[in-house]
Amino acid sequence: MTVDENRRMVDVYRNLAGKYDIVSNRLYVVGQRTMAYKHLAVQQLDLKPGDTVVDAGCGTGHNLPLLSKAVGPTGRVIGVDLTDAMLARADDRVRQHGLTNVTLQEADLTRFVFPKDTAGIIACFSLTLIREFGTVIQHGFDALAPGGRFVALDYKLPRWWPNFAVPAIGPMVAPFGGTLEMVRRKPFEEVARHAETMRMLERYFGWVYVAVGVAGDRSTV
Ligand SMILES: C[S@@+](CC[C@H](N)C(=O)[O-])C[C@H]1O[C@@H](n2cnc3c(N)ncnc32)[C@H](O)[C@@H]1O
């Protein structure tokens, strides 16, 4: 991401951090079950006790208690985010829940070095915001252990949505730093490109997807 893009994103999420959880909950009014989608995404990681998992763009840390429980006290959860204010909220959550196996890191995901032999990487509603999402996904797969999973939960345009109606989405994505160019991005295609196998689950009439990519054995490549 360019310095300007990062600055814009940080500005958006610094303003949003204090009310992010409330805004996110409000989406239930229009039928979006955001926490249920996150539970589903975490489940798809198929984590085991002792695993290392990265929450890429962890925001205020909705996933952290779920991930912490899944890897247990011998495991490791690393929450990464670009925005200090979002991480401050995540840190509150870590303390409130007494999560001893979670660390938080402020970083641009395009430059983040994923720990080698990571068992799982989860990115919820973050990849489409990053122009170089392909770099993030590639670095993620390079670091995943064979059989490790890259799970992306995000929005996409449903197949049935007409092209002429795309501009109508603008006002819905703008509060989250989204643009009309971003809504056409397809990180799930990049997950499919790097994965040995990939499964797509769709929710909310095709607006929401969970892409589950399983890493192959790269030692033989
Ligand atoms: C819509 S929020 C999603 C937060 C959380 N994953 C959730 O589902 O509630 C997007 C998050 O991505 C972060 N983000 C955007 N660009 C990023 C980048 N290049 N590197 C790391 N985090 C980024 C933002 O700071 C923000 O916290």
Side-chain angles (χ1 to χ4, degrees):
M1 300 243 290
T2 65
V3 174
D4 283 349
E5 282 171 325
N6 278 359
R7 198 170 294 141
R8 187 184 79 83
M9 201 55 71
V10 169
D11 280 349
V12 167
Y13 280 97
R14 274 187 183 155
N15 284 327
L16 204 53
K19 46 186 186 278
Y20 182 82
D21 292 354
I22 296 165
V23 172
S24 201
N25 279 337
R26 277 202 201 130
L27 294 173
Y28 273 72
V29 175
V30 289
Q32 281 188 45
R33 303 176 64 227
T34 48
M35 265 327 282
Y37 307 148
K38 288 177 193 177
H39 275 264
L40 174 68
V42 170
Q43 235 175 39
Q44 297 302 315
L45 285 167
D46 195 26
L47 293 167
K48 310 276 183 300
D51 278 348
T52 295
V53 60
V54 176
D55 189 345
C58 65
T60 62
H62 285 165
N63 295 333
L64 299 175
L66 304 172
L67 296 171
S68 169
K69 190 168 174 219
V71 300
T74 58
R76 198 153 72 107
V77 181
I78 304 162
V80 182
D81 204 281
L82 186 66
T83 309
D84 49 2
M86 294 293 270
L87 283 171
R89 297 280 155 173
D91 193 42
D92 290 344
R93 197 180 304 270
V94 167
R95 278 193 253 169
Q96 274 160 16
H97 287 257
L99 310 178
T100 54
N101 55 0
V102 178
T103 54
L104 299 174
Q105 193 171 328
E106 188 178 324
D108 177 350
L109 281 166
T110 60
R111 290 156 188 235
F112 177 70
V113 180
F114 290 89
K116 203 72 205 135
D117 288 331
T118 295
I121 297 169
I122 184 166
C124 296
F125 304 118
S126 54
L127 290 175
T128 44
L129 297 175
I130 303 173
R131 188 149 51 87
E132 296 158 55
F133 61 80
T135 304
V136 180
I137 294 168
Q138 187 197 323
H139 290 172
F141 271 97
D142 288 346
L144 280 175
R149 295 184 178 196
F150 196 117
V151 175
L153 161 63
D154 224 320
Y155 293 107
K156 66 171 180 60
L157 290 172
R159 278 173 287 278
W160 52 267
W161 190 258
N163 208 26
F164 73 82
V166 170
I169 300 163
M172 286 175 254
V173 296
F176 298 95
T179 63
L180 285 182
E181 186 267 316
M182 287 176 189
V183 302
R184 295 184 190 276
R185 292 179 181 171
K186 297 175 176 174
F188 56 88
E189 288 184 347
E190 205 62 18
V191 173
R193 212 162 68 75
H194 291 280
E196 188 170 71
T197 59
M198 196 197 72
R199 212 153 61 93
M200 260 310 254
L201 308 169
E202 295 194 6
R203 295 290 185 271
Y204 201 61
F205 314 106
W207 286 102
V208 171
Y209 69 87
V210 179
V212 186
V214 180
D217 186 350
R218 300 198 159 208
S219 62
T220 54
V221 179

